[in-house]
Amino acid sequence: MSERTLAIIKPDAVKKDAIGDIIKMYEGAGLRPVAIRMMRMPKPTAEGFYAVHKARPFFDSLTTFMASGPVVVLVLEGKDAIKRHRDLMGATDPAKAVAGTIRKAHGTNIEYNAVHGSDSPETARFEIGYFFPEMDLVAR
Ligand code: IDP
Ligand code: MG
């Protein structure tokens, strides 16, 4: 079933000039961008995005990191996009990510781990709508 998921290329990966390589990995996996936006995420925007993690000890550090530099926010479309994108990203901790994954290639540590990906259809719906109005999603 064709699905859409939200991806973010985080500030650490943008800083490393890895945008092109990461988008190439999405496309190589059959995850086609249907929306792309580069932005600086204000801290309150990062806090709203990661609201589910509000109680976690790393919440302040994580949202400060996400607001620390430009990010690239994308909507990816493809068959079973949510799970296949999570598989392509690899484990949250890059040290545990397997070869061939984005986090293995570009992640620095468990916090600065290069990319974000929605983890369920409900999350994807919320996260896509958080950054993109429906009319910004192109048909392909
Ligand atoms: P995920 O990005 O693999 O879905 P989550 O558990 O949803 O992982 O955590 C969201 C983000 O919070 C991670 O991508 C990472 O940047 C950061 N994070 C997760 N766990 C830790 C931690 O133990 N210490 C510091 N940052 C963390
Ligand atoms: Mg998550």
Side-chain angles (χ1 to χ4, degrees):
M1 189 186 69
S2 183
E3 262 179 354
R4 286 172 172 172
T5 188
L6 188 91
I8 303 178
I9 303 174
K10 296 184 180 184
D12 58 324
V14 172
K15 218 163 284 169
K16 288 182 190 175
D17 298 317
I19 295 171
D21 192 57
I22 291 171
I23 292 179
K24 197 174 175 65
M25 291 174 88
Y26 296 150
E27 291 186 325
L31 297 165
R32 295 192 160 126
V34 297
I36 302 182
R37 172 177 172 196
M38 190 161 196
M39 65 181 292
R40 269 179 186 273
M41 210 183 288
K43 175 123 153 101
T45 303
E47 288 168 352
F49 181 76
Y50 278 121
V52 292
H53 293 311
K54 214 174 168 67
R56 302 282 199 96
F58 56 81
F59 181 72
D60 186 61
S61 171
L62 170 64
T63 53
T64 297
F65 162 55
M66 292 301 286
S68 70
V71 298
V72 180
V73 188
L74 308 90
V75 178
L76 304 176
E77 186 177 87
K79 189 170 176 302
D80 298 322
I82 296 169
K83 176 171 190 323
R84 291 197 311 107
H85 178 224
R86 294 289 306 192
D87 291 345
L88 178 67
M89 287 164 59
T92 304
D93 182 354
K96 296 183 181 145
V98 303
T101 63
I102 297 173
R103 283 169 166 168
K104 176 71 175 182
H106 297 295
T108 303
N109 59 45
I110 194 167
E111 183 167 41
Y112 299 171
N113 58 5
V115 284
H116 167 85
S118 309
D119 63 6
S120 73
E122 298 68 42
T123 314
R125 211 168 304 120
F126 164 75
E127 292 181 350
I128 291 168
Y130 195 79
F131 289 110
F132 296 101
E134 187 64 33
M135 68 173 289
D136 282 5
L137 308 176
V138 305
R140 323 192 23 174

